[in-house]
Amino acid sequence: MPKSVIMVVEVPSCAHKAVPAGQLAVQTMALKQVLHCQHSPLAAIMLVALLILSTAAGSEAWTTPQTLVYNFTIQPMTLTRLCSTKSIVSVNSNFPGPTIYANEGDRIIVKVTNTAQYNITLHWHGVRQLLSCWSDGPAYITQCPVQTGQTYVYNYTFTNQSGTLFWHAHETWLRGTVYGAIVIFPQSYPYTTFYEEHVVLLGEWWKANVEDVETQALQTGNGPAKADAYTINGLPGPLYNCSGSQDTWVLKVLSNKTYLLRIVNAALNTELFFSIANHNLTVVEIDGDFTKHYTTNTLFLTPGQSTNALLTTDQPVRRYYMGASPYMSAANVSFQKIQTLAVMEYQGSSSATPITPSFPGSNDTNSVTQFSNGLKSLNDGGHPEGVPQTVDKSLFFTVGLGLKPCNPNQTCQGPNGKNFTASVSNVSFVLPKIAILQAYYFNLAGVYQSTLPDTPLNVFDYTGNPPNNLTPESATKLNVIPFNSNVQLVLQDTSLAGVENHPIHLHGYSFYIVGQGFGNFQASNANFNLVDPPRRNTVGVPVGGWAAIRFKADNPGVWYMHCHLEIHTTWGLAMAFIVQNGVGVNQTLPPPPSDLPMC
């Protein structure tokens, strides 16, 4: 295959079973998966053809980027879980949604047609969107929502990026059911060859409509109703009422093999531990970045984080449970305490009850800290890391919950009869009615203010006894970063309405977590790692503590940063950066596409 050839693949509705031409071993495994998509023989024919092309092309298949076209139809589907049936919003009538498979360097085109009753956008979580900010997807940040009956085409490239990421709805709470994995195959793996790989999507399930759960929380001013279950690949497992073997995902394995598990926490509001009974897991990648090997019996993932881990099936032949269990760092918060379980079944095992894993306690911050401290980027000769050694722009943002007065003629159920709110540096973010990126590009006045300060205007003992006069300002405030600046951002948790671990996600960038600690940040005693810090797109700011991140601002546009606990974003724990243009076409935000949705 000549290097100039670009292969365009039209992926049918069962795209989550399909893999584009690329690494032959991975394709063979995925071809077996696609054959299970009984309603689409076209997919199997397509995969066979691609496999033949890849075999004939040999290594050329790797040196030739391809354009992969996915059709996503946003549509309602009826689903039963926990003996309760409801209509959910889905993609192509799949829950979870289709997996996007690609090779490093491939261009992705996703044609999204909305036939559901809600307006929607899709976000490609962790994709760096180099010069493709218009395809990032957060509603009213980079685009207005795709309305019912409309179509929008997302167009981006996996430039120097591989690993496991995920996509999800980014309008209201629709990502409760609208999500799926992204698998980007690298040119080579810097770790042990594995026999097979599997995507493991962790989620939450409510019997009620998730949009109604959000609405009720906003009306009462209190926290949302807790989830009825956690899920693994959309299934709750056997521990919940009216749930059994038919609602349990099963992973069948062979003895003495190594498997790669691509694990994503797609839950709305819950941080999760993940474990497999009697088996260790070796972390080899986080959020799409390779790591030094770290072996543990328990993983920890905040919403928005992904982890690739190697599993060796070296235990006696039988059945074992794998599962996810909640971590809740906040006091006096109602949450689902029952774990979700799936079955890992060795070939030849009996039908005996599987062994159950041991999980850390739901408030075990020590386990969270130990896991986080064990993660280091690979940073070897073949995979160098560009950790910024100097800082051009230094930022200090406080993050956390607070309280605001109840609206007149309303009864509020938050503490002291108030409403919960949330903020960054005491500014509770308000989504505008026009997309900020559109307003920025066309210089539209009155949509946002470029006045979010680099440091808080109100300085206090952030993790000590809170002041009682810090009701946050409600506004749409952004912070401006010059192009190509080396940025250091310290995120400081606050105790205004109680300390809590906050998973903060930055769009458009991966960043290095150069330091973390408890209490108030003090530069004089912060022990930063500038050699091999972990690189992520979502950082868990420790409960009652701080995290320091660094990144180079080399991607112009408007980039959202928010807590990935959905209720906190709803309450206003969010902001956005404007990264200014550089010089020349390769450093300048391109114009919007012609089909950009209008508000």
Side-chain angles (χ1 to χ4, degrees), residues 147-380:
Q147 298 179 26
T148 302
Q150 290 185 342
T151 295
Y152 181 51
V153 176
Y154 293 90
N155 186 343
Y156 52 88
T157 300
F158 295 129
T159 304
N160 298 323
Q161 188 170 19
S162 64
T164 304
L165 305 170
F166 80 121
W167 58 265
H168 59 79
H170 215 302
E171 162 73 327
T172 61
W173 282 25
L174 290 172
R175 78 174 180 90
T177 59
V178 181
Y179 62 86
I182 299 174
V183 174
I184 314 164
F185 300 123
Q187 296 191 28
S188 63
Y189 293 90
Y191 45 81
T192 305
T193 302
F194 50 90
Y195 174 72
E196 201 171 79
E197 65 174 71
H198 295 273
V199 171
V200 181
L201 286 166
L202 310 178
E204 284 177 292
W205 182 262
W206 281 264
K207 293 181 182 179
N209 184 320
V210 289
E211 296 293 282
D212 294 339
V213 174
E214 178 192 18
T215 298
Q216 183 181 26
L218 291 176
Q219 288 176 344
T220 63
N222 205 350
K226 67 181 181 182
D228 293 295
Y230 306 114
T231 58
I232 297 178
N233 288 340
L235 297 171
L239 297 184
Y240 300 98
N241 289 334
C242 201
S243 185
S245 59
Q246 75 281 2
D247 298 307
T248 303
W249 185 62
V250 178
L251 172 62
K252 295 188 177 182
V253 298
L254 302 177
S255 293
N256 300 312
K257 299 289 186 182
T258 298
Y259 293 82
L260 178 67
L261 300 184
R262 299 178 178 269
I263 306 158
V264 178
N265 185 353
L268 276 176
N269 290 314
T270 306
E271 301 171 299
L272 293 166
F273 296 108
F274 179 85
S275 185
I276 303 176
N278 293 12
H279 290 73
N280 284 330
L281 294 163
T282 299
V283 178
V284 292
E285 178 195 292
I286 52 174
D287 289 7
D289 205 56
F290 296 126
T291 65
K292 292 180 171 65
H293 286 199
Y294 174 53
T295 301
T296 177
N297 58 15
T298 302
L299 309 179
F300 173 71
L301 299 94
T302 75
Q305 290 183 339
S306 60
T307 300
N308 280 11
L310 295 175
L311 161 71
T312 300
T313 51
D314 56 2
Q315 295 301 303
V317 173
R318 63 165 301 156
R319 304 167 79 221
Y320 300 85
Y321 277 130
M322 68 171 68
S325 184
Y327 168 64
M328 177 54 69
S329 59
N332 304 317
V333 174
S334 176
F335 65 98
Q336 177 58 256
K337 296 180 175 62
I338 300 174
Q339 297 101 3
T340 178
L341 297 178
V343 173
M344 186 178 73
E345 183 177 288
Y346 278 66
Q347 185 180 63
S349 61
S350 69
S351 59
T353 301
I355 298 175
T356 302
S358 297
F359 294 103
S362 59
N363 61 349
D364 190 346
T365 297
N366 287 336
S367 290
V368 173
T369 304
Q370 180 180 357
F371 179 79
S372 299
N373 289 343
L375 301 175
K376 310 291 182 185
S377 59
L378 191 54
N379 198 18
D380 60 15

Side-chain angles (χ1 to χ4, degrees), residues 289-290 292 375-380 383-392 484-489 510-515 527-536 548-554:
D289 205 56
F290 296 126
K292 292 180 171 65
L375 301 175
K376 310 291 182 185
S377 59
L378 191 54
N379 198 18
D380 60 15
H383 304 85
E385 297 286 354
V387 185
Q389 300 296 304
T390 59
V391 175
D392 302 313
N484 229 28
S485 297
N486 287 338
V487 180
Q488 176 176 295
L489 168 59
S510 292
F511 48 74
Y512 295 98
I513 306 172
V514 297
N527 186 20
F528 283 180
N529 175 7
L530 300 180
V531 177
D532 58 356
R535 192 182 191 194
R536 310 209 73 146
I549 66 174
R550 288 189 181 185
F551 63 95
K552 178 175 283 294
D554 56 1

